[in-house]
Amino acid sequence: MITQKDVARLAGVSVSTVSRVLNESNLVDEKTKQIVESAIKKLNYKPNLVAYGLRAKSSKLVGLILPEMNHYTYASFAQFVEGSCMEKGYSMLLGLHHNECELEKSLVDEFQRRNVDGLILCLAIDEQNLSNNLMEYISVPTVMYERTFNNNRMGGIRFDNYKAGKMAAKYLAGLNHKNIACTVGPMGMHYVQDRFFGFRDELTEQGIEIKKENVLECDFNYRVPNFVSGEDAARAFLDGRSDRDIPTAIWAHNDNVASGVIKELHRRKIKIPEEISVMGVDNIGLTDMIYPSLTTIGQPLKNMAEKSVEMIMEEIELGEEYKADIVIMEPELIIRESTGKCRS
């Protein structure tokens, strides 16, 4: 195993000089630094990061805790976070809580035992329970993704779900749709409420009533794939209804659910968008590959991930002087083939 002594011997310097180069100290002149870096490269020396972390009181690790990875949004967010961390010289640890509060607390404990410098956390569904319990477990800089605590201690980054809902409703109303159905996630979650309330409020402003039977809460236990919930939703909006009562447009609370809706409509040989328009939220990679391509409200996931890492780095650097902030990202209407003017 190659050690710092081997690097020092090849470079003709002391071990302390090698250590200073590794720690990016300004006490080493440029010529010596180049000689040491050349020796490190030649020997393929890999420093012991655990030992380095103990000495420097920094592990160069950021923990990311998400509900799952089956959802494209979370998978993409994780990929962007990892890339942003690497650009800043950090590595990322990933944990999945599968919407289980006790598992989430265990992950927070485990990551802190691993001496992470900070956490990016997307809370489990039971927000009230977690807001009362997780606070006492978290002792490192933390940025909340999508869900936030009502306190001034932790920064947060989230999508403007209310505006996304309004944007979707305004677009469908502009296509002359009056009988519109929608799916929602668990209404106990603030971001789900915001998304639906924005949709409902805009329809009300447009003079359109959304019928109770046209609102369906989908399964959100992270064990039933979202597209299966979409198939179930389409059946609920179609089965046992007269032609007059069948919605002319369906807005799904995410693109995976919308994809399931499209699959079920295809199975029934219902034309999209000629007979029923379909719309989603998120702008996942699948949206322009399915047929017809999906009209959706896009989330700036890359920007959200980069901003989350930027906020963590700022809090690590400033410590107690850091002032937590909630950053809200804007939605974008992306029009594709799955929506059209109401023809009834």
Side-chain angles (χ1 to χ4, degrees):
M1 180 178 178
I2 304 299
T3 67
Q4 286 190 26
K5 287 183 179 180
D6 298 315
V7 175
R9 189 179 302 112
L10 180 60
V13 299
S14 65
V15 173
S16 60
T17 298
V18 174
S19 179
R20 290 191 185 101
V21 172
L22 291 171
N23 290 315
E24 300 180 357
S25 170
N26 294 325
L27 299 177
V28 182
D29 64 75
E30 189 61 31
K31 183 178 180 180
T32 303
K33 180 181 176 183
Q34 290 177 2
I35 293 172
V36 172
E37 289 176 343
S38 176
I40 289 171
K41 186 176 181 180
K42 186 173 182 178
L43 294 173
N44 194 29
Y45 170 66
K46 306 293 184 185
N48 186 321
L49 294 179
V50 174
Y52 171 82
L54 290 173
R55 289 194 302 271
K57 296 184 179 180
S58 171
S59 62
K60 294 291 182 180
L61 289 174
V62 171
L64 173 63
I65 300 177
L66 297 173
E68 50 143 344
M69 289 292 278
N70 291 330
H71 194 300
Y72 182 91
T73 302
Y74 295 135
S76 296
F77 183 77
Q79 181 181 354
F80 292 136
V81 167
E82 182 179 40
S84 186
C85 285
M86 290 180 67
E87 288 178 0
K88 299 179 184 300
Y90 280 70
S91 297
M92 183 190 83
L93 290 180
L94 175 65
L96 306 177
H97 57 60
H98 303 291
N99 199 40
E100 296 177 6
C101 299
E102 290 305 315
L103 177 56
E104 180 169 51
K105 283 190 269 188
S106 295
L107 286 168
V108 169
D109 283 343
E110 175 65 19
F111 280 14
Q112 290 182 148
R113 282 197 297 270
R114 288 174 178 262
N115 197 34
V116 296
D117 291 329
L119 285 173
I120 299 174
L121 172 62
C122 181
L123 291 173
I125 286 177
D126 191 354
E127 292 180 345
Q128 184 59 43
N129 176 53
L130 285 165
S131 66
N132 289 334
N133 291 281
L134 260 192
M135 290 293 291
E136 63 190 70
Y137 288 89
I138 299 176
S139 59
V140 297
T142 301
V143 168
M144 312 301 291
Y145 165 55
E146 197 55 67
R147 277 86 99 172
T148 55
F149 284 140
N150 293 322
N151 66 80
N152 58 5
R153 174 185 156 191
M154 294 179 183
I157 183 93
R158 59 186 174 87
F159 181 55
D160 194 334
N161 288 284
Y162 185 81
K163 186 176 288 188
K166 285 184 69 71
M167 190 177 286
K170 187 174 183 177
Y171 173 70
L172 291 175
L175 295 175
N176 204 34
H177 291 283
K178 307 292 185 186
N179 188 6
I180 304 173
C182 72
T183 70
V184 298
M187 290 299 288
M189 302 175 70
H190 295 305
Y191 87 96
V192 173
Q193 291 177 15
D194 288 346
R195 196 170 288 190
F196 172 68
F197 291 160
F199 188 74
R200 180 202 61 188
D201 292 351
E202 181 62 33
L203 289 183
T204 300
E205 290 175 22
Q206 298 285 339
I208 299 171
E209 177 190 3
I210 185 164
K211 302 174 184 177
K212 185 177 180 180
E213 61 268 25
N214 279 350
V215 179
L216 181 70
E217 184 170 325
C218 287
D219 197 321
F220 224 58
N221 63 10
Y222 300 106
R223 290 178 174 81
V224 177
N226 278 203
F227 67 85
V228 174
S229 295
E231 293 176 82
D232 293 340
R235 286 191 282 269
F237 295 142
L238 297 171
D239 288 346
R241 298 197 185 191
S242 66
D243 291 344
R244 183 187 179 110
D245 290 331
I246 290 176
T248 62
I250 299 173
W251 178 60
H253 64 276
N254 66 46
D255 291 338
N256 285 338
V257 173
S259 300
V261 170
I262 287 176
K263 180 181 177 182
E264 180 62 19
L265 296 184
H266 280 322
R267 192 182 70 81
R268 295 174 183 242
K269 296 182 171 53
I270 294 174
K271 295 179 180 179
I272 309 168
E274 291 84 357
E275 296 178 75
I276 299 179
S277 288
V278 181
M279 188 174 183
V281 181
D282 287 337
N283 193 34
I284 65 175
L286 181 69
T287 51
D288 59 357
M289 299 171 62
I290 60 176
Y291 178 78
S293 58
L294 183 65
T295 295
T296 189
I297 304 295
Q299 286 199 56
L301 288 174
K302 188 172 188 294
N303 291 343
M304 292 174 76
E306 291 174 348
K307 185 63 178 178
S308 297
V309 174
E310 179 185 317
M311 292 169 73
I312 280 289
M313 298 300 153
E314 183 180 359
E315 187 172 358
I316 291 171
E317 181 179 349
L318 295 178
E320 294 182 358
E321 296 180 12
Y322 173 76
K323 294 183 179 179
D325 192 19
I326 304 297
V327 177
I328 301 175
M329 294 288 188
E330 293 291 307
E332 176 187 7
L333 173 62
I334 300 168
I335 301 172
R336 296 194 179 99
E337 301 168 331
S338 67
T339 50
K341 287 189 177 181
C342 180
R343 300 188 180 184
S344 60

